[in-house]
Amino acid sequence: MAAETASGYIQHHLQNLTYGQLPDGSWGLAHSAAEAKAMGFWAFHLDTLGWSVAMGLIFLFIFRMVAKKATSGQPGALQNFVEVLVDFVHGSVKDSFHGRSAVIAPLALTIFAWVFLMNAIDLVPVDWLPWAAQKLSGNEHIFFRAVPTTDPNATLGMALSVFALIIFYSIKIKGLGGFIGELTLHPFGSKNLFVQALLIPVNFLLEFVTLIAKPISLALRLFGNMYAGELVFILIAVMFGAGILWLSGLGVVLQWAWAVFHILIITLQAFIFMMLTIVYLSMAHEDNH
């Protein structure tokens, strides 16, 4: 495969199916990376949105089906798996969350299962879903990127949702005054009111950076790991098109090896996102006065 062809192949697989306002003022799909960039903020990544919703619906369908058919007698394999997963998440919440809330455990379960399902799409061979999109649309040049968590818009959207809950519970538990005091009176304090007033800008800067770092770290950690994993799969796929027999054989071995290792990555990243959410919400429930 020529370098230009390989480069174009990689860029094509890393470009989202983008819908937005075209240069002529009409709305439609972007036909190039430049057009997608020109669409600006109000562009929609249809592949990311579609697969995110699809994985969410699959999660709801599976758990609803298990809940309706749950039995105390001899449970099936799927019920056993769901019960183990629920117990695992419940134990994680019990160990890490020190407040009282009926929302945290269901939220943690939803995050873990949903993020895992979105990550798991990365195990599908990189050409299959884009090929299916091309056949269904009749457009051989259509962009299609199937893994939502390799799109920073998706991971940042989830992280900002968690961040909104952090702010909500911080104000609910501590009060607006307590929340503002937490941002301005810590970590440095003084009994002298004049000195304390001078320390407020320093405290606010430190605490604000710490607060903002939470959603950013949530989003970028998940995005970075999944993007790197997807890129490795694409680079391995390039080896198949090189036209060299031994290189194609090596690609087969690397594909399977990376897929097996990637199972650990997609599970670990879902777990980390869930655990950090639990920890951050636990901190929001702490009232230190």
Side-chain angles (χ1 to χ4, degrees):
M1 180 180 291
E4 294 80 10
T5 306
S7 174
Y9 175 85
I10 294 171
Q11 291 177 9
H12 185 274
H13 276 67
L14 294 178
Q15 178 64 44
N16 287 98
L17 177 62
T18 308
Y19 178 86
Q21 190 170 23
L22 297 168
D24 62 1
S26 63
W27 287 74
L29 297 175
H31 299 95
S32 66
E35 275 191 2
K37 184 178 181 180
M39 288 177 174
F41 179 78
W42 290 112
F44 299 90
H45 291 175
L46 300 183
D47 40 13
T48 295
L49 292 170
W51 281 107
S52 298
V53 172
M55 293 301 103
L57 292 176
I58 289 175
F59 160 69
L60 293 175
F61 173 77
I62 292 175
F63 276 71
R64 183 176 183 272
M65 180 181 65
V66 171
K68 289 181 66 177
K69 297 182 178 180
T71 175
S72 58
Q74 185 176 358
L78 184 57
Q79 182 179 334
N80 281 328
F81 173 77
V82 169
E83 287 179 352
V84 169
L85 180 58
V86 170
D87 287 341
F88 167 72
V89 173
H90 176 74
S92 299
V93 173
K94 187 177 180 180
D95 293 339
S96 303
F97 184 75
H98 306 299
R100 288 187 177 182
S101 176
V103 175
I104 305 304
L107 175 66
L109 177 63
T110 301
I111 286 176
F112 179 80
W114 191 29
V115 173
F116 174 82
L117 288 172
M118 289 191 289
N119 290 351
I121 301 175
D122 213 9
L123 297 176
V124 178
V126 293
D127 287 327
W128 287 12
L129 295 176
W131 176 83
Q134 291 171 2
K135 294 302 180 183
L136 290 173
S137 66
N139 183 356
E140 295 184 356
H141 303 288
I142 192 172
F143 298 111
F144 196 78
R145 193 172 172 187
V147 187
T149 46
T150 60
D151 185 347
N153 295 285
T155 59
L156 188 59
M158 291 187 293
L160 288 177
S161 299
V162 173
F163 183 65
L165 288 175
I166 293 173
I167 300 299
F168 171 77
Y169 281 113
S170 293
I171 296 175
K172 179 181 178 181
I173 301 300
K174 304 163 188 175
L176 182 60
F179 177 60
I180 295 175
E182 189 176 64
L183 291 177
T184 56
L185 303 179
H186 300 280
F188 303 114
S190 174
K191 294 181 180 180
N192 187 303
L193 294 180
F194 177 75
V195 174
Q196 183 65 66
L198 293 178
L199 291 174
I200 285 177
V202 178
N203 288 334
F204 178 76
L205 178 63
L206 294 175
E207 291 297 323
F208 182 75
V209 169
T210 301
L211 184 65
I212 293 298
K214 293 176 181 177
I216 294 176
S217 65
L218 270 178
L220 295 185
R221 181 182 288 104
L222 178 58
F223 161 71
N225 281 278
M226 295 309 301
Y227 181 86
E230 181 188 40
L231 187 58
V232 170
F233 276 124
I234 294 173
L235 292 175
I236 293 173
V238 171
M239 298 171 66
F240 288 100
I244 303 175
L245 183 60
W246 70 267
L247 196 59
S248 298
L250 179 60
V252 172
V253 176
L254 292 176
Q255 185 85 0
W256 281 101
W258 182 245
V260 171
F261 179 70
H262 205 56
I263 293 173
L264 174 63
I265 294 177
I266 64 178
T267 307
L268 184 61
Q269 290 307 311
F271 173 74
I272 291 175
F273 199 99
M274 178 193 73
M275 286 303 302
L276 287 178
T277 299
I278 296 171
V279 171
Y280 291 157
L281 290 175
S282 178
M283 294 169 63
H285 278 74
E286 294 176 358
D287 187 3
N288 297 322
H289 302 285

